[in-house]
Amino acid sequence: MYSKLKKTISELTQDFESIPEERKQTLQEVAKYISKELDENDTVKLNFICTHNSRRSHLAQIWTQTAAHYYDIEGVETYSGGTEATAFNPRAVAAVERAGFHVNSPVGENPRYEIKFSEEAEPMICFSKKFDDSENPEKNFAAIMTCSDADENCPFVPGTSFRKAVTYRDPKESDGTDHEKETYDERCRQIGTEMFYMMSQV
């Protein structure tokens, strides 16, 4: 893994105690599902869903895939989607870069970012799409709802074998303020800490 990212991950894994106990229980439930699927099928598919697939769902997808590699857990496939498609927000992309990921940033209204945690690994392709996009799984997957709006407005996600709400405050609330960068970094690290904790329980 890239050296800056390794340093960030070391900080995240030392911060597990900051996760509230109730939150840990929720993450442990997801971890149990992952373990069960891997035991029975050798593969588990996780689709992280928020409203616009522009911030929180991408961060959760990226950190979970990275954590699976870090803990040497094979068979984990991560995806993300929204109740509508917009674009992977550049502020969230910048937070990912500051955490230590390498990002190939193309142009366009809804660019397909290539995000890597290591030179040896295949890049994660991240762009905004609906949760039922053809690039996402159609059946036997977990829907992890990363925002309360999507959880409330999308009561049924076809094809799921498991669903859990693991919601986060939207860093969008800081857009255009003096605290923008700080808020995005804070949310990126919070999601990273919790996804690493979750995968450490698998």
Side-chain angles (χ1 to χ4, degrees):
M1 285 190 176
Y2 299 119
S3 57
K4 184 178 180 181
L5 181 59
K6 287 170 73 172
K7 180 176 182 294
T8 299
I9 291 171
S10 176
E11 294 168 355
L12 299 183
T13 56
Q14 291 174 28
D15 207 26
F16 287 166
E17 291 306 311
S18 70
I19 304 172
E21 197 58 40
E22 183 178 347
R23 191 83 169 170
K24 282 184 175 179
Q25 291 175 11
T26 297
L27 296 167
Q28 287 166 8
E29 288 180 41
V30 182
K32 287 179 183 177
Y33 167 81
I34 294 171
S35 296
K36 178 175 176 289
E37 286 295 300
L38 291 175
D39 286 343
E40 295 178 359
N41 304 310
D42 296 325
T43 303
V44 63
K45 299 177 181 181
L46 308 172
N47 193 359
F48 296 91
I49 300 171
C50 65
T51 303
H52 299 112
N53 191 208
S54 60
R55 297 171 176 83
R56 291 163 286 179
S57 51
H58 275 118
L59 295 175
Q61 174 191 2
I62 290 164
W63 280 120
T64 302
Q65 194 68 63
T66 304
H69 176 84
Y70 180 84
Y71 289 114
D72 198 25
I73 304 170
E74 296 184 1
V76 177
E77 299 177 10
T78 65
Y79 305 85
S80 66
T83 54
E84 59 185 271
T86 53
F88 190 1
N89 191 275
R91 299 172 183 86
V93 175
V96 165
E97 286 188 288
R98 288 193 294 270
F101 291 91
H102 286 200
V103 180
N104 176 25
S105 302
V107 295
E109 285 188 12
N110 185 10
R112 298 170 71 100
Y113 292 92
E114 295 182 356
I115 298 178
K116 297 179 71 172
F117 51 73
S118 165
E119 282 302 318
E120 290 73 39
E122 288 294 314
M124 294 173 271
I125 308 301
C126 296
F127 66 101
S128 184
K129 56 200 169 299
K130 292 185 70 174
F131 66 82
D132 57 358
D133 186 89
S134 60
E135 297 212 14
N136 286 343
E138 294 182 359
K139 59 182 180 179
N140 299 327
F141 66 91
I144 311 300
M145 315 304 285
T146 59
C147 84
S148 56
D149 285 347
D151 191 38
E152 293 167 5
N153 296 325
C154 194
F156 176 64
V157 179
T160 57
S161 55
F162 178 85
R163 174 179 175 145
K164 198 69 184 176
V166 185
T167 61
Y168 298 94
R169 287 186 65 171
D170 193 348
K172 180 182 179 179
E173 64 188 8
S174 70
D175 288 5
T177 72
D178 294 339
H179 305 292
E180 183 180 280
K181 180 179 175 181
E182 178 185 346
T183 300
Y184 274 84
D185 286 348
E186 181 181 291
R187 194 65 65 249
C188 182
R189 284 176 175 262
Q190 179 194 11
I191 294 173
T193 299
E194 294 195 354
M195 295 302 101
F196 262 78
Y197 173 78
M198 180 179 78
M199 296 307 292
S200 76
Q201 302 299 298
V202 173

